[in-house]
Amino acid sequence: MSLRFAVLTLLDIEPGSGYDLKRRFTRSVTHFWSASHQQMYRELHRLHEEGLLDCIEQAQAGRPDKKVYSLTDAGRRALKGWAEQPAAPQKIRDPLLLQVFAGHHVDPTVMRAELERHLAEHRALLQTYEEQNQRFYNRDAASQQHLWLAHQPLLLGIETEKTWIRWAEQLLARLGEAQ
């Protein structure tokens, strides 16, 4: 259900095509919500059919017409109504944490390798988030002021990655001592 509201929120910020939306999705909400290209397009069509989005076609030279979506008044009301509802807290479901929990059954070299693999992924993700953060601060002051609340999940993502990295480094150091 929340993909529809991620789409509505991104189109509330700025109208765009499915391609534009997927690009914006990757640069903003992908660190806390995921969706495939196909899911995104299905949701765009569904929201349009429900009257929550308008769609205009723009001619393009040498390419098929581009469909540009924007929110209708009904779309804005639906987004506002959803945003005002209480959100249920989410539980962490991470297979690696379960493996660490059962780690006494795993050879320490195997555990180290798995932790190092995840650590590399989290470091890369942190770098991506920090680049996105810098793009936010490269915006003009009016855009920053308008989007400051939307920026907060990215800041939480940065802090989460830093915490995860610190935890994994400490665990790897402890595993090194145990060998």
Side-chain angles (χ1 to χ4, degrees), residues 100-124:
V100 170
F101 187 69
H104 58 281
H105 292 288
V106 180
D107 181 280
T109 57
V110 172
M111 181 59 73
R112 279 188 70 75
E114 186 64 2
L115 283 167
E116 287 170 352
R117 184 177 71 81
H118 280 265
L119 185 56
E121 290 176 11
H122 282 274
R123 284 179 174 147

Side-chain angles (χ1 to χ4, degrees), residues 112-166:
R112 279 188 70 75
E114 186 64 2
L115 283 167
E116 287 170 352
R117 184 177 71 81
H118 280 265
L119 185 56
E121 290 176 11
H122 282 274
R123 284 179 174 147
L125 199 52
L126 176 60
Q127 182 178 347
T128 298
Y129 292 172
E130 287 176 337
E131 290 167 1
Q132 291 172 353
N133 193 41
Q134 188 57 52
R135 279 196 296 274
F136 175 82
Y137 288 110
N138 288 341
R139 292 174 173 266
D140 62 83
S143 292
Q144 287 182 35
Q145 179 61 32
H146 178 70
L147 297 172
W148 78 268
L149 201 51
H151 182 234
Q152 298 312 300
L154 176 60
L155 295 177
L156 178 59
I158 290 169
E159 291 307 313
T160 300
E161 292 307 318
K162 286 178 179 178
T163 299
W164 200 101
I165 290 166
R166 195 169 42 255

Side-chain angles (χ1 to χ4, degrees), residues 82-96:
W82 170 81
E84 291 177 341
Q85 296 301 311
Q90 295 296 303
K91 304 286 184 199
I92 296 173
R93 291 178 55 130
D94 187 327
L96 176 67

